[in-house]
Amino acid sequence: MAHVAVTHDVHEAIHHTEELSFWRKYVFSLDHKVIGLQYLITSLVFLFFGFTLMMLMRWQLAYPGQPIPIIGKWLGEMNAPGGIMLPEFYNQLGAMHGTIMVFLGVVPLAVGAFGNYIVPLQIGAPDMAFPKLNMASYWTYLVGGITMLSSFFMPGGAANSGWTSYAPLSVVATTGQTVWLIAMVFLITSSLLGSVNFIVTIVQLRTKGMTFMRMPFFVWAQLVTSFLLLLAFPPLEAAAVMQLMDRLAGTSFFMPSGLVVAGQILDVSGGGSPLLWQHLFWFLAHPEVYVLILPAMGIIAEILANNTRKPLWGYKSLVYAAVFLGFMSFIVWAHHMFLTGMGTVISAFFQTTTMIISIPSVIILTAFFISLWGASIRINTQMLFALSFLPMFGIGGLTGLPLGLAPTDIHLHDTYYVIGHFHYVVAPGTIFALFAGVYHWYPKVTGRKMSETLGKIHFWGSLVCMNGIFMPMFIQGLAGVSRRLYDGGQQYAHAQGVLQWNEFMSIAAWLLALFQLPFIINFFLSLKTGKKVESDNPWEATTLEWATPTPPPHGNFARPVEVYRGPYEYSVPNHPTDFTPQHVPDPVKA
Amino acid sequence: MHIPYTIHARPDTGLFNAKLGVWLFLASEVMLFGALFSSYVLLRIGAPSWPHGFEILNIPLATLNTVVLITSSITMVMAWASLKIHDFARYKRYIGATVGLGFVFLIIKAFEYGAKFSAGIYPSESTFLAIYFTLTGLHGLHVVGGMIVNGYFWGPGSRMWHTEPERFTNRIEVAGLYWHFVDLVWIFLFPVLYLL
Amino acid sequence: MSRSPEEIKKHVRVYVNVFVALMGLTVITVAISYLHLSVVPAVILALIVATIKGSLVASYFMHLINEKKMIFATLILTGIFFAALMSLPLIFHIDKFY
């Protein structure tokens, strides 16, 4: 009986198109593609805003104590009297840069935008499993984001205790921290709604023939990511609630007894543990690292297979590695805390798990490299970004190893080395992958290709500038320069030998901003002038998103799709074309 | 546009969408309350002294609340069973009772809180009271959430029974899963906070 | 999943039995607390009773006893990470922060 009903369901899914008003179609849309684009635009705006904060900080680091030209006088007397940035404001910028980039920029872009748009298409589903929940997820994210930004207008400014909001500093901080916590509750709720939706969609709405091992690697990456978001975020939500209680109700979850602030013993009941916050924070924030990187790897896998014109090497090991990576990411969190007085037993345990978790990352990267072997590579903008992702992420990953081992971490902890390490993972790593994704899927969304010339300017400029910013950080970090210094290390004798890099890095950062202009121009100009695509499958790809009309209508597929093979059947011998899409049946054998 | 498997189970997973969805949501709830329970244990072990719950809190009232919540759980499951035997009037009575018992729970809770506040006992007093108010407060919010959902299915939402009875029965099953979970959390909260 | 009315009636009897058991266990757990045992046995007993009650609710009211394997897989995964979370006090203990 169930079977009859199922086929009925599928058929109904196809033959329904209804006319909607402007508001229902573009603003309060239930269509996963529109919601994905809403996520895309919003998170790109946040990404550029977060970058702007950093460019201000880079001025202070390069020319400490000098007034910021032009923009300086708009920052307000409270923040930058006479255009000279105050230390308090520098701290706000630092905390908000991290928060915005991670929670409002990269994750919503990787999961909310790309996941939302691509996953249902790649598994042959008409939409997400819960379209209303999907819409709610976006709007909760937007409210959280606006709340987060509004904290700049609080008395005392935005949150200024770092993106990690370590207690007890954050508990005694200004009102901006309360707003930060409330905004985080919204963002956590949003990602919770999103992750439930993704898992149900992937498990339940795969089309006929789309078994788990035929899913594109991108879908696997999103599935693992969703589990991380689902299970790692709630402990931070609990911690945020406890910190709110500490700040608003005067409790002492994170406040030790006898804490002295500004010469006074704080009037709190005490008995709390600042380390508890760190544990709960990193219980989320380490899996969060893989939330940042897994979708990026997924995008890279799609683009590599498509442009090498051969199957992805070791698809199964990639899948198992991603699942294992996700699993292990839950038991490595305390490697962020070697300097908290951790004993040898616990530190040995977390060093071991940290070394173990590097294995699946290496497997994934190796499989990507081997995929290039012997391929006749098609070079276009997205492939350039994908190719540079490999060494960039490689640098980011390998420089992480010394941080995962307590003896070296004791020296490197909280220096610019750490900043360099994780920015290599996230900036020329994840963000390059996300750029690659924009170039790759743009023709599916708009029916036009982006300009290759502008794309290549964007790529080469970004590649050079990214390395110009982050490579010197390793040098400064190894010299022992702390990451949180407002003057970039001027007061410290040990930093004198590496100070000259500050100006270099800052100029690279501003140039990087300049090289984003071709991308922005390309993004909007190509809507009108981009080269029109001749078919629904301009890159001659194999996965299902290219089997839809361009752009895909509400409900996605023109007729029911069935899947006959794995995701990356390129250059199959004796096949007329060098790609065999998943939905094309084998020629009937006589 | 129509999403498959909203009513009937997908053959290979044996589940309809909302059921998997709500279980995933409950999994995240386990981690939410788990973090708080873990913090409770951590703070308690680290404390030089820790009060017994029964010295500060009102055990008879809390026991009564336990009875109320467990009763509301059985009325919830009976509401679902009534729909399964197509007895809509009976469903209405049971789901109404579930919402009503939720109210009773909150009223008793309010009395407890009120008595504490009027005696000058606040969360800032000690770590024990901090975790007590945080855990019970968060649980109370979950009760409120469940009551809103159940209230909707008792009132305007129940119209769906006349158009899509199977889908409505699914909704009640799923709402029930959440409600039982709220009950389950209380089953652990009660001894941990009050009796130990 | 479509169950016949007779089956449902059988289910209802089970629900009522579970309800009675839960009430009985509530009485037991409160009664134990009045014995004022020392901390360790009190914690162990209270958690045993709570776990039995919790499993009754999960197994019968939430129908976990005949649920699909996808749900079990999710819950097992959650259980493992829950255990990791509950190991926090253990970490503090091993490091002798107390």
Side-chain angles (χ1 to χ4, degrees):
Chain A
M1 187 208 115
H3 265 283
V4 179
V6 166
T7 44
H8 169 78
D9 277 359
V10 173
H11 280 289
E12 282 237 333
I14 310 301
H15 299 292
H16 267 261
T17 41
E18 62 267 57
E19 267 316 301
L20 296 166
S21 69
F22 171 81
W23 287 92
R24 295 297 304 275
K25 208 165 172 181
Y26 297 110
V27 184
F28 297 103
S29 175
L30 297 176
D31 184 349
H32 72 100
K33 297 180 293 299
V34 178
I35 296 169
L37 293 177
Q38 288 173 330
Y39 261 114
L40 179 82
I41 302 295
T42 319
S43 55
L44 279 175
V45 169
F46 279 125
L47 212 57
F48 285 116
F49 180 74
F51 184 35
T52 312
L53 300 185
M54 179 41 69
M55 285 194 285
L56 287 175
M57 294 172 76
R58 284 300 338 167
W59 176 270
Q60 170 63 23
L61 292 170
Y63 313 110
Q66 291 181 36
I68 302 164
I70 310 163
I71 311 162
K73 54 179 175 289
W74 303 338
L75 296 174
E77 285 300 299
M78 290 291 292
N79 300 323
I84 300 167
M85 188 183 291
L86 291 176
E88 292 80 2
F89 187 54
Y90 179 86
N91 283 345
Q92 292 172 32
L93 293 181
M96 294 305 278
H97 167 74
T99 308
I100 289 172
M101 288 313 225
V102 172
F103 296 113
L104 296 173
V106 176
V107 174
L109 186 55
V111 182
F114 283 104
N116 240 319
Y117 201 102
I118 306 297
V119 165
L121 294 178
Q122 283 196 333
I123 60 173
D127 204 311
M128 296 286 271
F130 309 112
K132 281 182 190 147
L133 215 58
N134 204 8
M135 179 177 81
S137 163
Y138 171 74
W139 288 101
T140 321
Y141 156 68
L142 189 66
V143 170
I146 291 170
T147 312
M148 191 65 87
L149 293 195
S150 73
S151 71
F152 273 110
F153 303 104
M154 292 293 126
N160 50 21
S161 314
W163 81 286
T164 52
S165 286
Y166 276 3
L169 179 67
S170 54
V171 178
V172 298
T174 48
T175 328
Q177 181 65 24
T178 306
V179 181
W180 187 91
L181 290 166
I182 293 168
M184 281 310 289
V185 171
F186 275 105
L187 295 174
I188 294 170
T189 310
S190 158
S191 77
L192 175 70
L193 299 178
S195 55
V196 168
N197 213 344
F198 274 109
I199 299 172
V200 176
T201 305
I202 295 171
V203 171
Q204 292 282 98
L205 300 193
R206 282 166 295 121
T207 193
K208 200 173 169 204
M210 179 61 88
T211 58
F212 276 106
M213 283 324 242
R214 282 178 178 175
M215 293 196 312
F217 184 63
F218 179 74
V219 179
W220 268 108
Q222 291 285 348
L223 181 63
V224 175
T225 302
S226 299
F227 268 105
L228 298 185
L229 287 173
L230 183 79
L231 298 176
F233 248 135
L236 183 67
E237 188 155 29
V241 168
M242 286 190 276
Q243 200 180 92
L244 269 178
M245 289 291 283
D246 271 10
R247 291 181 57 87
L248 300 178
T251 58
S252 296
F253 285 111
F254 306 122
M255 303 297 270
S257 307
L259 184 70
V260 176
V261 174
Q264 299 276 320
I265 293 186
L266 275 192
D267 181 27
V268 292
S269 65
S273 166
L275 277 186
L276 174 61
W277 168 269
Q278 293 196 22
H279 276 294
L280 292 177
F281 181 84
W282 288 115
F283 194 89
L284 153 85
H286 199 83
E288 180 82 6
V289 173
Y290 296 96
V291 170
L292 295 169
I293 198 67
L294 274 170
M297 288 170 164
I299 294 172
I300 296 300
E302 300 304 303
I303 293 171
L304 283 183
N306 179 237
N307 289 303
T308 54
R309 313 306 294 167
K310 66 201 258 296
L312 210 53
W313 193 87
Y315 168 81
K316 274 190 183 168
S317 26
L318 278 172
V319 169
Y320 295 139
V323 172
F324 183 63
L325 192 70
F327 181 82
M328 286 302 289
S329 73
F330 277 88
I331 43 175
V332 297
W333 78 88
H335 68 212
H336 295 267
M337 300 167 58
F338 287 141
L339 250 67
T340 55
M342 185 180 286
T344 47
V345 178
I346 296 301
S347 121
F349 174 79
F350 282 105
Q351 287 177 64
T352 313
T353 54
T354 305
M355 290 304 115
I356 292 173
I357 202 175
S358 64
I359 297 169
S361 313
V362 171
I363 292 176
I364 292 175
L365 211 57
T366 311
F368 285 170
F369 271 116
I370 299 177
S371 300
L372 300 176
W373 186 263
S376 53
I377 297 174
R378 185 170 70 187
I379 297 285
N380 47 27
T381 308
Q382 64 263 36
M383 189 59 175
L384 284 174
F385 274 109
L387 286 174
S388 68
F389 168 91
L390 303 177
M392 292 297 111
F393 175 72
I395 294 173
L398 291 174
T399 52
L401 292 178
L403 297 171
L405 295 167
T408 36
D409 182 57
I410 287 169
H411 177 67
L412 296 170
H413 189 91
D414 236 357
T415 65
Y416 269 101
Y417 182 92
V418 181
I419 308 269
H421 151 67
F422 70 72
H423 277 87
Y424 260 102
V425 175
V426 180
T430 301
I431 291 181
F432 269 21
L434 296 172
F435 280 139
V438 171
Y439 287 99
H440 183 62
W441 280 301
Y442 194 90
K444 179 47 52 186
V445 181
T446 63
R448 289 170 189 272
K449 287 184 182 176
M450 288 174 87
S451 152
E452 281 290 310
T453 319
L454 286 172
K456 279 179 179 140
I457 298 172
H458 174 217
F459 166 73
W460 286 109
S462 299
L463 181 68
V464 171
C465 291
M466 285 276 191
N467 283 287
I469 303 169
F470 299 119
M471 194 57 86
M473 287 189 179
F474 292 127
I475 302 168
Q476 289 200 332
L478 287 166
V481 182
S482 164
R483 63 190 274 196
R484 305 206 188 264
L485 299 176
Y486 151 74
D487 61 357
Q490 276 212 322
Q491 295 173 34
Y492 293 84
H494 68 264
Q496 297 305 316
V498 291
L499 275 185
Q500 74 276 14
W501 286 108
N502 275 334
E503 194 178 4
F504 178 85
M505 289 190 279
S506 294
I507 291 172
W510 301 323
L511 281 178
L512 178 63
L514 213 59
F515 277 113
Q516 303 316 302
L517 292 180
F519 173 69
I520 299 169
I521 294 168
N522 201 350
F523 191 87
F524 289 106
L525 206 63
S526 300
L527 288 175
K528 285 268 172 288
T529 64
K531 193 164 152 260
K532 274 200 175 155
V533 294
E534 279 107 35
S535 76
D536 289 332
N537 189 0
W539 307 119
E540 307 192 312
T542 50
T543 42
L544 285 186
E545 78 267 34
W546 305 102
T548 60
T550 308
H554 196 187
N556 294 345
F557 292 90
R559 57 185 107 56
V561 279
E562 193 175 338
V563 169
Y564 300 96
R565 58 182 66 81
Y568 306 113
E569 302 271 311
Y570 287 102
S571 304
V572 178
N574 304 326
H575 196 271
T577 55
D578 73 341
F579 65 107
T580 322
Q582 285 189 282
H583 65 281
V584 176
D586 288 319
V588 185
K589 287 170 196 105
Chain B
M1 209 205 37
H2 196 279
I3 310 288
Y5 314 120
T6 43
I7 300 174
H8 298 289
R10 183 183 162 108
D12 57 351
T13 60
L15 299 164
F16 59 92
N17 296 344
K19 191 188 228 179
L20 180 60
V22 87
W23 272 110
L24 289 167
F25 173 67
L26 294 184
S28 89
E29 292 279 73
V30 167
M31 297 303 280
L32 177 72
F33 282 100
L36 286 166
F37 272 112
S38 181
S39 306
Y40 164 86
V41 177
L42 191 146
L43 292 170
R44 179 167 187 168
I45 295 175
S49 68
W50 192 268
H52 288 288
F54 49 75
E55 290 161 3
I56 301 173
L57 306 173
N58 191 329
I59 291 193
L61 273 187
T63 311
L64 180 60
N65 246 351
T66 310
V67 172
V68 168
L69 213 53
I70 291 177
T71 314
S72 83
S73 233
I74 184 143
T75 55
M76 186 79 214
V77 82
M78 294 301 273
W80 171 76
S82 310
L83 287 182
K84 276 283 181 191
I85 53 173
H86 307 285
D87 190 340
F88 187 63
R90 205 167 109 144
Y91 156 77
K92 277 275 211 181
R93 282 198 299 279
Y94 275 121
I95 193 85
T98 310
V99 178
L101 286 165
F103 260 117
V104 174
F105 178 88
L106 287 179
I107 289 166
I108 294 175
K109 202 80 224 152
F111 268 112
E112 261 191 275
Y113 275 15
K116 294 283 169 292
F117 291 151
S118 58
I121 298 172
Y122 290 103
S124 55
E125 205 82 355
S126 71
T127 318
F128 168 73
L129 286 165
I131 196 88
Y132 161 76
F133 277 108
T134 308
L135 266 172
T136 54
L138 201 62
H139 178 262
L141 282 179
H142 278 79
V143 173
V144 172
M147 278 167 57
I148 292 171
V149 172
N150 291 342
Y152 174 73
F153 288 137
W154 173 71
S158 67
R159 275 195 297 256
M160 187 191 253
W161 171 255
H162 306 291
T163 52
E164 293 175 276
E166 275 186 276
R167 190 166 177 202
F168 184 67
T169 312
N170 282 351
R171 286 190 163 190
I172 297 306
E173 183 180 2
V174 163
L177 285 173
Y178 172 78
W179 190 254
H180 301 313
F181 177 79
V182 173
D183 182 24
L184 205 152
V185 170
W186 181 258
I187 284 174
F188 281 92
L189 276 187
F190 172 56
V192 165
L193 290 175
Y194 289 82
L195 304 180
L196 293 175
Chain C
M1 278 296 282
S2 52
R3 300 192 182 103
S4 64
E6 292 74 44
E7 258 183 279
I8 294 295
K9 289 212 175 86
K10 227 181 283 168
H11 277 290
V12 168
R13 264 197 301 281
V14 175
Y15 297 147
V16 173
N17 289 340
V18 170
F19 174 69
V20 172
L22 286 172
M23 287 301 164
L25 287 165
T26 306
V27 173
I28 290 172
T29 191
V30 174
I32 292 173
S33 83
Y34 279 97
L35 296 177
H36 294 298
L37 298 171
S38 65
V39 173
V40 175
V43 168
I44 292 172
L45 276 177
L47 283 186
I48 288 175
V49 176
T51 309
I52 296 173
K53 285 168 78 179
S55 344
L56 283 175
V57 170
S59 312
Y60 294 101
F61 288 173
M62 300 170 89
H63 308 125
L64 207 53
I65 204 149
N66 46 17
E67 199 44 271
K68 298 293 175 293
K69 75 170 193 290
M70 191 70 74
I71 304 276
F72 279 113
T74 308
L75 291 182
I76 289 168
L77 189 72
T78 312
I80 294 169
F81 296 146
F82 179 78
L85 203 51
M86 293 310 282
S87 74
L88 277 186
L90 190 70
I91 289 176
F92 276 56
H93 185 71
I94 293 173
D95 274 349
K96 306 208 168 39
F97 276 137
Y98 311 131

